Amino acid sequence: MTSENKDSDTMPDSLLIQESGEVYRNPTEVQMSQIVLPCHANHCGELSVGQLLKWMDSTACLSAERHAGCSCITASVDDIHFEHTIGVGKVVNIIAKVNRAFTSSMEVGILVTCEDLYTDRQWKVCHAFATFVARRTEAGKVKSLKQVIPHTQMEQMEYSLAAERRRMRLIHAEIITDLLSKCQEYQDAVPAERTRVESVELVLPPHANHQVSTFGGQIMAWMENVATIAASRLCNAHPTLRSIDMFHFRGPSHIGDRLVLKAIVNNAFKHSMEVGVCAEAYQGGEPLRHINSAFMTFEVLDSDRKPCTLPRIRPEPTESQSAYIIAVLHVYRKYIISCKQTEVPLSVPWDPSNQMYLSYNNVSALKLMDNRNNWVLASEKNKVRLYTLEENQMLCFKVEMNVRVSAEQTFHLLSDLRRRKEWDQHYESCEVINQADEEDTIYRVATPSVTKGGKGKDFILLASRRKPCDSRDPYLIALRSVTLPTHPPTEEYTRGEVLCAGFTIWEESSSVTKITYYNQATPGVLPYISTDIAGLSSSFYSAFSACSQFLLANKDSLAYITPPLQLL
């Protein structure tokens, strides 16, 4: 990829001309540039991932400390997907900046690019999100962090998405712990125990950071080393690390610690394998302390740089068997949350094990659409505005209006899709088919035919609701299609699909709320709005005028506080 074709969704937009004429630069931004030397390379003459992780952690830590004004500690690093390797002689450019600060933790976005000095080409290698916490004061008090104020569209988007990523981090471990299932046995498979690796490292002063704790990047590098050895034992070749599933630091390590690093291949798929790796520490005769754990995905490339077919793995009973199944979930999870919006299928199978990731994808897609700023006003009637946006061969539209109802009440009234038929003529019926939890509900929605004598459509929709973290967040109701084996298509209706839709609800004042409805014009949705977009009708105005009247009529009602449904 040349420097002119950088990915605009991930590249920084930190340079902005302010009204004063000065160039704006994010005050938390830190940049690092390193030439890859032979001492940084592996056997293939490519930059060691462990070395890259050290540089990434250093840059991100300096950014976090610039914002916090004090020492910071790495708490976790989200999934990392390495799109390219980096050869000796290339320049690695790393940019880190704080996306959002919470009470005592902050998310730091990290972008890594590679530069060829001879051809002036640049390309993206990876991007990641790390969580840092401010070090406690000498009195043991938690330092309260100042808020981040986004100035550019990209900063606003990352600020908004940071809240959803934080939510996923907090419940990620619970999902993994609760995943219990049986695995399939394979003949002629390699025993997982054969790939087990255990190594110990003594933490010396050169391994410590400026806070005299073991450098987080060094721990990640040691973990990558033992994971690579485990992967090599399965394939009898040199593997290439492609992605990392969330480093999570569970405790500190210090100079003098003995760091025990353990790795084993959890599962092998056709062209990739997952290695589970953990780091534990001890001093003297004390018990082991869990420091970190992660899952790494490797490939083996042939002489043409194509992935090789890998042997199957046979898990050992109990612990290894559970890890075997969890590896399957990680592959599915990466598929859901790493795909670009244009690559995600319209409907994704839903089950409890992937609920968190589908919910994340659902809400993130709506937030991305909400942060677009190139909408075109198509029509307006009595302060109800219809906008369109054509991007990546996808037509999107939004309808915007203000109502004199509180934002919280509006959120609760619109959250229950069963009541939408009271104001939306396109909703013939709506029923709850699965109440996953308080935030995620699956509905079956039936709509009438747009042509005389034709069949109506039905949709299986996941509705994900979010309340704001602070005043700079809206209320959100995100909708997308999912599939359930218990509700296949029927002859009575044509099954429609929704890729991304929903409401953002902003509090303009204590009594005025701005409502914006978004939808992407998939084939299942387009027939209902095509005449509005073409300017041949204004049915959108009728529907949202009815919505306004519905909200006003129920603004003082307590009926929206419904008891929780029985979980299915």
Side-chain angles (χ1 to χ4, degrees):
M1 183 183 297
T2 64
S3 58
E4 296 86 40
N5 294 322
K6 294 176 182 177
D7 187 343
S8 61
D9 289 336
T10 56
M11 302 305 291
D13 63 346
S14 54
L15 296 181
L16 181 73
I17 305 299
Q18 303 182 93
E19 292 183 1
S20 62
E22 296 180 357
V23 176
Y24 164 77
R25 179 171 176 175
N26 189 304
T28 69
E29 182 178 300
V30 172
Q31 299 186 20
M32 175 188 286
S33 294
Q34 297 278 358
I35 293 181
V36 179
L37 302 175
C39 63
H40 301 138
N42 58 22
H43 61 281
C44 296
E46 297 169 344
L47 174 63
S48 161
V49 172
Q51 181 62 60
L52 178 58
L53 291 171
K54 291 182 187 180
W55 289 340
M56 292 169 64
D57 188 53
S58 294
T59 312
C61 183
L62 293 174
S63 174
E65 292 182 344
R66 178 174 285 184
H67 179 73
C70 65
S71 298
C72 293
I73 303 168
T74 312
S76 67
V77 181
D78 289 3
D79 301 4
I80 308 174
H81 176 69
F82 299 98
E83 299 181 18
H84 300 281
T85 56
I86 305 172
V88 171
K90 301 293 191 296
V91 173
V92 178
N93 296 307
I94 303 173
I95 298 177
K97 56 185 177 182
V98 177
N99 291 331
R100 184 164 183 164
F102 301 94
T103 304
S104 59
S105 67
M106 68 203 95
E107 179 190 276
V108 180
I110 311 164
L111 175 68
V112 180
T113 59
C114 183
E115 179 182 356
D116 188 324
L117 296 175
Y118 296 98
T119 63
D120 199 32
R121 291 179 61 244
Q122 291 190 48
W123 57 92
K124 175 186 162 190
V125 175
C126 67
H127 72 273
F129 301 99
T131 301
F132 286 81
V133 294
R135 202 175 185 90
R136 291 176 179 267
T137 64
E138 293 182 0
K141 294 183 178 180
V142 176
K143 180 178 175 64
S144 182
L145 298 173
K146 61 184 177 182
Q147 292 299 306
V148 171
I149 308 298
H151 288 84
T152 69
Q153 181 189 2
M154 182 64 72
E155 289 179 2
Q156 179 59 52
M157 182 182 72
E158 294 296 356
Y159 178 91
S160 180
L161 292 174
E164 192 62 19
R165 287 190 289 259
R166 179 174 183 262
R167 176 182 178 275
M168 190 171 72
R169 288 181 203 112
L170 294 175
I171 60 178
H172 174 72
E174 297 176 17
I175 295 294
I176 299 300
T177 302
D178 292 342
L179 185 65
L180 296 173
S181 182
K182 293 182 179 180
C183 64
Q184 181 179 356
E185 294 283 353
Y186 293 102
Q187 299 295 326
D188 303 322
V190 177
E193 195 62 27
R194 186 184 298 174
T195 70
R196 188 181 295 276
V197 178
E198 182 170 322
S199 180
V200 65
E201 297 282 354
L202 174 61
V203 181
L204 300 173
H207 303 139
N209 57 23
H210 55 295
Q211 302 164 39
V212 201
S213 298
T214 311
F215 180 38
Q218 180 63 68
I219 295 174
M220 291 189 283
W222 282 334
M223 293 173 69
E224 184 266 337
N225 181 60
V226 294
T228 301
I229 296 172
S232 300
R233 287 181 176 174
L234 174 69
C235 60
N236 299 121
H238 294 296
T240 299
L241 180 59
R242 284 304 186 197
S243 64
I244 299 173
D245 174 52
M246 196 176 289
F247 285 109
H248 181 69
F249 288 89
R250 302 176 185 276
S253 170
H254 307 284
I255 294 174
D257 276 350
R258 279 68 171 171
L259 213 62
V260 180
L261 303 135
K262 302 175 183 178
I264 189 171
V265 176
N266 289 337
N267 206 338
F269 306 94
K270 185 176 182 180
H271 293 137
S272 66
M273 70 188 99
E274 180 185 280
V275 179
V277 57
C278 74
E280 299 172 315
Y282 72 94
Q283 285 199 20
E286 69 179 24
L288 290 171
R289 310 188 311 273
H290 188 182
I291 302 298
N292 201 337
S293 58
F295 300 92
M296 303 186 185
T297 302
F298 290 85
E299 292 178 346
V300 177
L301 305 179
D302 61 19
S303 57
D304 296 323
R305 308 294 292 176
K306 301 292 184 183
C308 299
T309 301
L310 299 174
R312 293 193 181 278
I313 197 83
R314 184 176 70 247
E316 302 301 320
T318 61
E319 180 182 349
S320 179
Q321 195 174 58
S322 298
Y324 177 96
I325 294 298
I326 290 172
V328 178
L329 172 63
H330 287 150
V331 171
Y332 190 70
R333 170 178 178 267
K334 287 184 178 71
Y335 171 72
I336 293 174
I337 67 175
S338 65
C339 284
K340 293 181 180 179
Q341 195 59 28
T342 54
E343 298 171 350
V344 178
L346 296 185
S347 289
V348 176
W350 184 94
D351 68 54
S353 67
N354 67 15
Q355 175 194 338
M356 176 178 72
Y357 314 123
L358 279 176
S359 182
Y360 167 82
N361 181 273
N362 193 15
V363 172
S364 297
L366 182 61
K367 286 187 172 185
L368 286 171
M369 205 185 305
D370 181 51
N371 276 280
R372 300 299 185 197
N373 62 2
N374 48 343
W375 293 91
V376 177
L377 180 64
S379 57
E380 180 176 6
K381 184 176 180 181
N382 292 349
K383 296 184 180 180
V384 178
R385 299 168 293 279
L386 173 66
Y387 296 84
T388 60
L389 170 64
E390 190 170 355
E391 194 169 68
N392 296 324
Q393 299 182 332
M394 180 74 72
L395 179 64
C396 308
F397 68 92
K398 71 175 182 179
V399 180
E400 199 172 75
M401 67 176 181
N402 287 1
V403 294
R404 290 195 170 277
V405 182
S406 72
E408 184 179 12
Q409 182 80 336
T410 299
F411 171 70
H412 287 295
L413 288 169
L414 295 180
S415 286
D416 189 351
L417 295 192
R418 293 172 297 181
R419 301 199 65 178
R420 185 160 166 175
K421 62 183 180 180
E422 296 180 36
W423 60 269
D424 190 344
Q425 61 181 351
H426 295 140
Y427 269 52
E428 188 175 72
S429 64
C430 180
E431 61 175 324
V432 174
I433 57 178
N434 195 319
Q435 180 80 45
D437 56 30
E438 293 182 359
E439 293 186 322
D440 294 310
T441 307
I442 299 178
Y443 296 89
R444 178 185 175 273
V445 177
T447 63
S449 172
V450 294
T451 59
K452 188 175 182 181
K455 289 199 300 185
K457 290 182 179 291
D458 70 342
F459 300 81
I460 306 299
L461 299 179
L462 169 65
S464 303
R465 296 171 282 268
R466 298 288 189 273
K467 293 182 178 180
C469 291
D470 58 41
S471 60
R472 288 189 292 276
D473 288 321
Y475 290 87
L476 284 167
I477 306 166
L479 306 171
R480 69 154 297 147
S481 286
V482 294
T483 58
L484 284 175
T486 55
H487 289 76
T490 63
E491 294 184 1
E492 185 180 356
Y493 290 92
T494 300
R495 178 59 51 88
E497 294 181 307
V498 172
L499 178 58
C500 176
F503 295 91
T504 62
I505 301 166
W506 291 91
E507 184 178 32
E508 300 281 280
S509 68
S510 59
S511 60
V512 177
T513 298
K514 183 176 78 172
I515 303 172
T516 307
Y517 174 74
Y518 295 90
N519 207 319
Q520 289 185 324
T522 59
V525 174
L526 190 58
Y528 296 96
I529 50 89
S530 56
T531 55
D532 287 310
I533 292 176
L536 301 178
S537 75
S538 56
S539 61
F540 78 92
Y541 166 74
S542 301
F544 281 86
S545 291
C547 176
S548 177
Q549 294 170 12
F550 164 76
L551 294 172
L552 287 169
N554 292 277
K555 70 175 185 177
D556 298 320
S557 172
L558 298 179
Y560 68 88
I561 306 177
T562 55
L565 297 171
Q566 182 178 0
L567 299 183
L568 301 179

